[in-house]
Amino acid sequence: MKKELHFEINEFRVRQAAVKKEMARRGIDILLLSEPPNQNYLTGYNAYSYYTPQMVIVALDREEPIWIGRFMDRVSATMTTFLAEENIRAYPDTYVQSTVLSAYDFMADIVKEVGGDKARIGVEMGGYYYSARAHAVLTRALPLAEFVDADLLVGWIRLVKSPAEVGIMREAGQLADVAMQRVIDTVEAGIRECDIAAAIYHQQVSGTAEFGGDYPCCPPDLCIGERSIAPHAAWTDEPLPDSTVVNLELSGCRHRYQVNLARTIVVGKPSPAFQDLSEIAVEALNVGLDAVLPGRTCSEVDSAFRQALARHGMEKESRIGYPTGIGFPPASGERTASIRKGDETVLQPGMVFHMMPGLWLDNVGITITQSFAVTDRGFEPLTKTPRKLFVK
Amino acid sequence: MKKELHFEINEFRVRQAAVKKEMARRGIDILLLSEPPNQNYLTGYNAYSYYTPQMVIVALDREEPIWIGRFMDRVSATMTTFLAEENIRAYPDTYVQSTVLSAYDFMADIVKEVGGDKARIGVEMGGYYYSARAHAVLTRALPLAEFVDADLLVGWIRLVKSPAEVGIMREAGQLADVAMQRVIDTVEAGIRECDIAAAIYHQQVSGTAEFGGDYPCCPPDLCIGERSIAPHAAWTDEPLPDSTVVNLELSGCRHRYQVNLARTIVVGKPSPAFQDLSEIAVEALNVGLDAVLPGRTCSEVDSAFRQALARHGMEKESRIGYPTGIGFPPASGERTASIRKGDETVLQPGMVFHMMPGLWLDNVGITITQSFAVTDRGFEPLTKTPRKLFVK
């Protein structure tokens, strides 16, 4: 079976060392990683198998992590991770959606095997793939262990990308750009909303002549007309009217690294007020981007953006940016820093954010955004689609 | 804001009555539904917003459920549910990925408001969207309430579809059929794997001239060549060789109802042994389907299938079928019945299953499957793609 690793093995070792250092600092002996992006980060594992219980164990005193999953996904673990076969463990199918057997008991046995029965064990309490029941079964099966919340322990390390990771994210950005260009070419009066969505998916995955894309973490947000103020609504089968506003957020995903991009496209002639609003949105976005500098905080970047908005008498409730990187459904962003008031995260080269200051006013909205990597001297845009209102 | 309901309001009332009846039987006063398909089933709610905390509360003594979500998704709740505005509640953005505020505290306050501080509260312990932390916050905020596991309470009710639901699933089946036809037309030596995946997505979402599709719950499983034995592997950018095996599982999704379909497509000439294997797979599948009858158990259907396999000296480890219906990522199937040995679920008209007896032998696999609804007299196939090996 050919190995499909997208990084040098040494890069995985560096990641592991950073995680172990933080474990040691917190006094955690064993870390149970239930989040698919964290499993991918530490081992390379990638398959659409995380709808069944799956875990990566990092033990402070073991060299390699252990992957545990369903028997039929063992071959994907062999293929996509650097792990030795002895560190790939699989439970039989009888555990899958069984009312009597729990895969978490199977996992607890492996925790005991690596000396974890009385250990201090970190778990990802707020993760998407660590259910209340998973925690209940593990704590019952390991009654002498001490469980501590290690949610985002790996997440904060992932926040700063390596040069190799930023390289992959540049490709993800290209995928987002070609998908957006496809939409700009496609959108016109009479086309059905579902056909726009279909074109986006096609281009996201088909990609460029040089490389294709992965499945995205989430569907495109395609918010049209009256529904442009419903940011996460599903698309319909309705044809576009002669005059409407399309607010679209899409992504490019390369080896599970995700870069997001949103634009507003007007079919017909935008009103002068809407055109003005778009110019304010772009101006504030550019001011926000120009405020990006290593050593500044997320809050300071947010403040620069808000001051630019305030000059036009406007304000915005929600945060204006989130980090992206390795992404698995259902989340498009990482769950650590936010570009918003009060977030004192200090920017460092290698951090990647999507600055997405959607402006929603009554019944219209504008979303013109920019994904970027923090560099030594400012920011590097990861997509090249012009920051402007598109009119068709 | 135009309402986008896909069922008569009375159908929601019937669903609610069934859920309340089961709540009463179990002595549950308040049910907290964290699973997006259950939220959709009881209220109609549909938006890609469940990556932030979201809940539907069903209280035995209240007429309507209450939806709770993020402020910016409130408009989607108004649009896609039948709920009165007073039963749509939203938390501000300061709660989103905050280290100090939890949306589950906000939810607990609403539970108290409806008299739940000393209630017996059902929660979905094994759900995908009920994290260990959600449970910890809610139980701390409601110290006098009694929490009981009500996972799959709604799931078992959803297992039997109404005629209106089966009607939508027929459309989902059509979407799966046109997507499979697109692949059969597209697959040939030299085409990149990512371009096959792109064509699938395009057709799933673009659909037919009459209607389009929703985003699927999960990416297509596109397992090619050596990787045909890795059922959930990601696709690559590699071109198909002159001779290879493509194992493909895809879906059609209409108004979030999902119908799955898998076929094996051979590029080049299949070996006689592989051709034989495919005929055994189809024969056993047909025997399994013919065993479907109201009153029989899942285990009996499984047994008929296994006997057909055994006549050829073969056996299979994993279950051969799962129910589908309303689907949200990450799960393609419902988590209740399985067609497997020992599952004593009794078939009833309106149940929908995907019978997917993939045969995996050493380094080759065959997946020829059939989604069907149980009828009064047997089964109704929900897809029309012939059950056979396709050769290109």
Side-chain angles (χ1 to χ4, degrees):
Chain A
M1 184 59 66
K2 201 177 77 180
K3 286 278 181 194
E4 296 181 6
L5 286 173
H6 302 298
F7 297 95
E8 302 288 333
I9 286 185
N10 191 54
E11 174 139 354
F12 290 106
R13 304 272 183 229
V14 169
R15 296 174 183 182
Q16 214 175 296
V19 169
K20 284 184 174 175
K21 187 177 165 195
E22 181 61 18
M23 287 169 64
R25 198 184 69 77
R26 300 192 193 184
I28 292 173
D29 305 307
I30 290 177
L31 185 60
L32 301 184
L33 296 172
S34 47
E35 287 290 277
N38 293 341
Q39 298 172 352
N40 175 276
Y41 186 69
L42 280 170
T43 71
Y45 184 78
N46 181 21
Y48 200 93
S49 54
Y50 41 88
Y51 62 93
T52 52
Q54 192 171 285
M55 199 69 88
V56 163
I57 302 180
V58 180
L60 212 48
D61 61 0
R62 284 178 64 92
E63 196 192 323
E64 270 191 6
I66 298 173
W67 176 93
I68 309 171
R70 188 179 182 185
F71 82 103
M72 64 167 65
D73 299 312
R74 171 173 198 114
V75 60
S76 286
T78 300
M79 200 163 70
T80 63
T81 76
F82 65 88
L83 301 176
E85 278 301 310
E86 75 215 42
N87 292 323
I88 297 173
R89 308 293 184 88
Y91 54 84
D93 204 68
T94 44
Y95 283 84
V96 176
Q97 287 161 22
S98 164
T99 51
V100 287
L101 291 170
S102 170
Y104 293 97
D105 280 317
F106 184 96
M107 292 170 184
D109 285 342
I110 296 172
V111 171
K112 286 178 197 160
E113 180 195 316
V114 300
D117 45 338
K118 293 177 186 169
R120 193 169 147 96
I121 297 176
V123 290
E124 301 179 291
M125 292 292 286
Y128 290 108
Y129 292 91
Y130 192 62
S131 67
R133 184 182 292 155
H135 190 59
V137 173
L138 284 173
T139 50
R140 193 174 55 224
L142 296 160
L144 302 178
E146 179 193 0
F147 282 77
V148 296
D149 190 355
D151 194 28
L152 301 183
L153 186 155
V154 178
W156 283 106
I157 293 167
R158 277 170 47 209
L159 181 58
V160 182
K161 276 74 183 169
S162 72
E165 289 182 289
V166 173
I168 290 178
M169 293 190 81
R170 282 187 197 107
E171 294 181 342
Q174 277 181 262
L175 293 167
D177 277 330
V178 293
M180 186 59 79
Q181 187 58 51
R182 173 86 172 262
V183 176
I184 293 164
D185 294 344
T186 302
V187 160
E188 60 181 18
I191 189 171
R192 299 184 304 176
E193 293 186 16
C194 59
D195 292 325
I196 303 172
I200 294 166
Y201 270 116
H202 187 269
Q203 201 68 54
Q204 282 175 319
V205 173
S206 181
T208 73
E210 288 73 38
F211 56 86
D214 291 358
Y215 66 86
C217 297
C218 58
D221 289 324
L222 187 59
C223 302
I224 294 175
E226 189 186 30
R227 302 158 84 255
S228 72
I229 54 163
H232 305 116
W235 53 80
T236 73
D237 301 337
E238 294 300 308
L240 293 198
D242 290 343
S243 174
T244 194
V245 172
V246 177
N247 277 318
L248 166 66
E249 180 167 342
L250 54 71
S251 60
C253 188
R254 176 75 171 152
H255 303 322
R256 302 281 3 117
Y257 283 82
Q258 166 131 341
V259 168
N260 292 0
L261 171 63
R263 285 294 178 275
T264 299
I265 305 167
V266 174
V267 178
K269 200 174 151 49
S271 70
F274 195 76
Q275 185 74 53
D276 287 350
L277 183 62
S278 76
E279 283 165 21
I280 295 170
V282 171
E283 181 192 315
L285 174 63
N286 286 336
V287 168
L289 289 167
D290 287 335
V292 169
L293 208 59
R296 289 228 175 110
T297 64
C298 285
S299 188
E300 286 167 345
V301 173
D302 179 82
S303 170
F305 169 84
R306 269 170 221 281
Q307 284 167 28
L309 267 195
R311 285 196 282 277
H312 299 278
M314 292 180 64
E315 51 186 37
K316 178 179 158 61
E317 181 180 358
S318 52
R319 63 185 179 153
I320 63 155
Y322 54 80
T324 71
I326 303 170
F328 283 83
S332 154
E334 297 182 357
R335 294 185 295 118
T336 49
S338 286
I339 303 181
R340 71 171 147 203
K341 191 175 172 183
D343 190 314
E344 298 303 325
T345 307
V346 176
L347 298 182
Q348 291 177 48
M351 289 183 179
V352 171
F353 288 91
H354 183 214
M355 195 181 284
M356 30 56 84
L359 291 187
W360 310 98
L361 289 183
D362 300 330
N363 58 352
V364 294
I366 299 258
T367 48
I368 298 174
T369 72
Q370 184 66 55
S371 284
F372 64 89
V374 180
T375 65
D376 290 343
R377 286 169 300 182
F379 74 99
E380 173 191 342
L382 292 175
T383 58
K384 295 189 166 37
T385 302
R387 293 191 284 276
K388 65 170 197 174
L389 182 70
F390 284 86
V391 178
K392 285 281 296 217
Chain B
M1 184 59 66
K2 200 175 76 179
K3 285 279 179 192
E4 297 182 4
L5 285 172
H6 302 299
F7 297 95
E8 302 288 331
I9 287 186
N10 191 53
E11 175 139 353
F12 290 106
R13 305 272 184 229
V14 169
R15 297 173 182 181
Q16 214 175 296
V19 168
K20 284 185 174 173
K21 189 178 163 193
E22 182 60 19
M23 286 170 65
R25 198 184 69 77
R26 301 191 191 184
I28 292 172
D29 307 306
I30 289 177
L31 186 60
L32 301 185
L33 296 173
S34 47
E35 287 290 277
N38 293 341
Q39 297 172 351
N40 175 275
Y41 185 70
L42 281 170
T43 71
Y45 184 77
N46 182 21
Y48 200 94
S49 53
Y50 41 88
Y51 62 92
T52 51
Q54 193 170 286
M55 198 70 87
V56 164
I57 302 180
V58 181
L60 212 47
D61 61 1
R62 284 176 64 92
E63 197 192 322
E64 272 191 6
I66 297 173
W67 176 93
I68 309 170
R70 187 180 182 184
F71 82 103
M72 64 168 64
D73 298 311
R74 175 176 193 110
V75 59
S76 286
T78 300
M79 199 163 69
T80 64
T81 76
F82 65 89
L83 302 177
E85 279 301 310
E86 75 215 39
N87 292 323
I88 296 173
R89 307 293 183 90
Y91 53 84
D93 205 68
T94 44
Y95 283 83
V96 176
Q97 287 162 23
S98 162
T99 51
V100 287
L101 290 171
S102 169
Y104 293 97
D105 280 318
F106 184 94
M107 292 170 185
D109 284 341
I110 296 172
V111 171
K112 286 179 197 160
E113 179 195 318
V114 299
D117 45 338
K118 293 178 185 168
R120 192 169 148 97
I121 297 177
V123 290
E124 301 181 293
M125 292 291 287
Y128 290 108
Y129 292 91
Y130 192 62
S131 67
R133 183 181 293 156
H135 190 60
V137 173
L138 283 173
T139 50
R140 192 174 54 224
L142 296 160
L144 302 179
E146 180 193 0
F147 282 77
V148 296
D149 190 355
D151 194 27
L152 301 184
L153 185 156
V154 178
W156 284 105
I157 293 167
R158 277 171 46 209
L159 181 57
V160 181
K161 276 74 183 168
S162 72
E165 289 182 290
V166 173
I168 290 178
M169 293 191 80
R170 282 188 197 105
E171 294 181 343
Q174 277 181 261
L175 293 167
D177 277 329
V178 295
M180 186 59 79
Q181 188 58 51
R182 171 87 173 260
V183 176
I184 293 165
D185 295 343
T186 303
V187 160
E188 61 181 17
I191 189 172
R192 298 184 305 176
E193 293 186 16
C194 59
D195 291 325
I196 302 173
I200 295 167
Y201 271 115
H202 186 268
Q203 201 67 54
Q204 283 175 318
V205 173
S206 181
T208 72
E210 288 73 39
F211 55 87
D214 290 358
Y215 66 86
C217 296
C218 57
D221 289 323
L222 186 59
C223 302
I224 295 175
E226 189 187 28
R227 303 159 83 254
S228 72
I229 54 163
H232 305 115
W235 54 80
T236 73
D237 302 337
E238 294 301 309
L240 292 198
D242 290 343
S243 173
T244 194
V245 173
V246 177
N247 278 317
L248 167 65
E249 180 168 343
L250 54 71
S251 61
C253 188
R254 176 76 172 151
H255 302 323
R256 302 285 355 122
Y257 283 81
Q258 166 129 341
V259 167
N260 292 0
L261 172 64
R263 286 294 179 274
T264 300
I265 305 167
V266 174
V267 179
K269 200 175 150 47
S271 71
F274 194 76
Q275 185 74 51
D276 287 351
L277 182 63
S278 76
E279 284 165 20
I280 294 169
V282 171
E283 181 192 315
L285 173 63
N286 286 336
V287 168
L289 289 168
D290 288 336
V292 170
L293 209 58
R296 290 228 175 108
T297 65
C298 284
S299 188
E300 287 167 345
V301 173
D302 178 83
S303 171
F305 169 84
R306 268 170 222 282
Q307 283 167 28
L309 267 195
R311 285 197 282 277
H312 298 278
M314 292 181 64
E315 51 186 38
K316 177 178 158 61
E317 181 179 359
S318 51
R319 63 183 180 156
I320 63 154
Y322 54 80
T324 71
I326 303 171
F328 283 84
S332 154
E334 297 182 356
R335 295 185 294 117
T336 49
S338 286
I339 302 182
R340 71 171 146 203
K341 192 177 170 183
D343 190 313
E344 299 303 324
T345 308
V346 176
L347 298 182
Q348 291 177 48
M351 288 183 178
V352 171
F353 288 92
H354 183 215
M355 195 181 284
M356 30 59 81
L359 291 187
W360 309 97
L361 290 181
D362 300 331
N363 57 353
V364 293
I366 299 259
T367 47
I368 299 173
T369 71
Q370 184 65 56
S371 284
F372 65 88
V374 180
T375 65
D376 290 342
R377 288 168 298 182
F379 73 99
E380 173 192 343
L382 292 175
T383 57
K384 296 190 166 33
T385 302
R387 293 192 285 276
K388 65 169 197 175
L389 183 70
F390 284 86
V391 179
K392 286 281 296 215

